[in-house]
């Protein structure tokens, strides 16, 4: 089964043809998708997509770019929304010190609220990290010491030190279309260092379309291109790449029933 662990189907880029995009993904063999919440105020629209499709699940959270929308976001708000049976993760959350679209102290405070919600619910934390490696590691290590939680370093492009420190906390890592970019040798080097049993794949559509679609709107139908590049980087056969990423996905997103195990 092909699984796209991170899609943004509620994005305006899909407003005109969302159902066609979903149909193309299925035709390409995509069996499951997780559509990501970029801000809590958008949760109803994100949830509606997963409620309408048996093969799509959703998360709840606020991206660091949008943290300023609700600087005092409470963990309990996230916990309440995460009780929906089709909600399978907390996030996307984290730190982005590259764009700094929200103040850094607000990003950190809102990030900690998400961590508390992940700890309480047992759902995985979907983490965005950009140009914030040291602060990210310090927050995750301090919070993990207060009580463990599952975490996914989504679309991992950060440094080797953050990779090692989060792997030590049991993190999963997702590989995106960036791994196919000609100039992304450093990203491919990180992929070689990821824990073999904790790697999954994503498109992050409509962003980061893999080669040969780079520069155009990304779609979940392209996840096979990311998986093929992962197999190449790690020296896996295509079948091994599918099996390994599928197993890792269901171990991380354990609220989603595995179709093969359904009664």
């Amino acid at each position: 089964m092909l699984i796209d662990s991170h899609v943004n189907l509620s994005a305006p880029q899909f407003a005109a043809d969302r159902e066609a995009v979903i149909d193309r993904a299925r035709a390409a063999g995509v069996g499951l998708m997780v559509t990501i919440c970029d801000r809590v105020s958008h949760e109803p629209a994100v949830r509606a997509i997963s409620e309408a499709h048996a093969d799509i699940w959703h998360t709840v959270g606020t991206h660091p770019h949008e943290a300023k929308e609700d600087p005092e976001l409470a963990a309990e708000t996230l916990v309440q929304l995460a009780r929906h049976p089709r909600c399978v993760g907390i996030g996307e959350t984290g730190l982005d010190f590259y764009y700094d679209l929200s103040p850094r102290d607000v990003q950190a405070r809102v990030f900690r609220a998400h961590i508390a919600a992940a700890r309480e619910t047992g759902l995985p934390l979907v983490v965005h990290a950009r140009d914030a490696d040291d602060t990210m590691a310090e927050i995750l290590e301090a919070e993990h010491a207060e009580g463990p939680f599952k975490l996914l370093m989504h679309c991992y492009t950060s440094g080797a030190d953050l990779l090692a420190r989060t792997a030590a906390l049991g993190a999963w890592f997702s590989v995106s279309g960036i791994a196919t970019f000609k100039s992304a040798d450093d990203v491919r080097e990180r992929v070689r260092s990821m824990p073999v049993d904790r790697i999954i794949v994503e498109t992050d559509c409509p962003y980061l379309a893999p080669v040969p679609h780079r520069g155009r709107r990304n779609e979940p139908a392209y996840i096979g291109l990311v998986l093929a590049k992962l197999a190449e980087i790690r020296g896996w056969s295509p079948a091994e790449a599918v099996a390994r990423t599928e197993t890792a996905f269901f171990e991380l997103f354990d609220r989603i029933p595995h179709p093969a195990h359904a009664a």
Side-chain angles (χ1 to χ4, degrees):
M1 178 193 299
L2 296 179
I3 300 171
D4 193 341
S5 66
H6 197 109
V7 299
N8 298 283
L9 290 175
S10 62
Q13 292 92 329
F14 293 127
D17 63 344
R18 183 176 298 110
E19 294 305 312
V21 168
I22 293 169
D23 287 344
R24 282 194 292 273
R26 291 170 179 154
V30 180
L32 281 175
M33 293 168 266
V34 179
T35 193
I36 304 297
C37 187
D38 67 333
R39 61 179 82 179
V40 168
S41 62
H42 289 174
E43 185 272 345
V46 176
R47 168 170 37 91
I49 294 170
S50 73
E51 287 176 335
H53 301 281
D55 51 356
I56 302 176
W57 304 76
H58 75 273
T59 67
V60 60
T62 293
H63 192 286
H65 289 344
E66 315 299 341
K68 61 184 179 292
E69 177 180 273
D70 187 359
E72 304 302 327
L73 178 65
E76 183 56 30
T77 299
L78 296 163
V79 170
Q80 291 283 356
L81 292 169
R83 290 192 174 123
H84 189 282
R86 298 198 64 78
C87 181
V88 297
I90 304 295
E92 173 180 357
T93 182
L95 303 172
D96 193 311
F97 293 171
Y98 180 81
Y99 286 109
D100 277 327
L101 295 182
S102 288
R104 293 184 178 186
D105 62 324
V106 172
Q107 291 187 47
R109 184 162 64 250
V110 171
F111 184 32
R112 288 181 187 273
H114 284 75
I115 293 171
R119 186 186 292 118
E120 182 170 343
T121 62
L123 296 178
L125 186 74
V126 180
V127 177
H128 170 105
R130 187 165 187 189
D131 281 17
D133 287 20
D134 290 343
T135 306
M136 174 64 70
E138 290 163 7
I139 290 176
L140 288 174
E141 288 169 347
E143 290 287 345
H144 209 269
E146 294 296 317
F149 50 91
K150 299 173 80 173
L151 69 150
L152 167 65
M153 304 303 290
H154 121 81
C155 187
Y156 194 81
T157 59
S158 296
D161 181 66
L162 181 60
L163 192 155
R165 292 170 73 176
T166 52
L169 300 177
W172 278 253
F173 298 85
S174 66
V175 177
S176 74
I178 294 175
T180 70
F181 296 177
K182 183 177 180 181
S183 61
D185 289 336
D186 57 335
V187 171
R188 288 184 283 275
E189 187 60 35
R190 301 291 173 267
V191 172
R192 295 184 187 98
S193 301
M194 292 174 179
V196 67
D197 58 344
R198 285 182 266 140
I199 304 174
I200 62 176
V201 290
E202 63 168 285
T203 58
D204 200 14
C205 64
Y207 318 108
L208 306 178
V211 174
H213 305 287
R214 186 177 182 184
R216 301 194 288 274
R217 184 186 72 170
N218 200 4
E219 295 192 9
Y222 303 156
I223 192 65
L225 295 168
V226 180
L227 194 67
K229 178 56 71 171
L230 170 62
E232 176 189 314
I233 294 168
R234 296 293 304 223
W236 298 340
S237 69
E240 184 180 6
V242 170
R244 286 188 178 278
T245 55
E246 181 179 327
T247 297
F249 175 87
F250 284 108
E251 288 178 351
L252 176 63
F253 289 102
D254 57 3
R255 181 177 278 188
I256 302 178
H258 196 306
H261 302 160

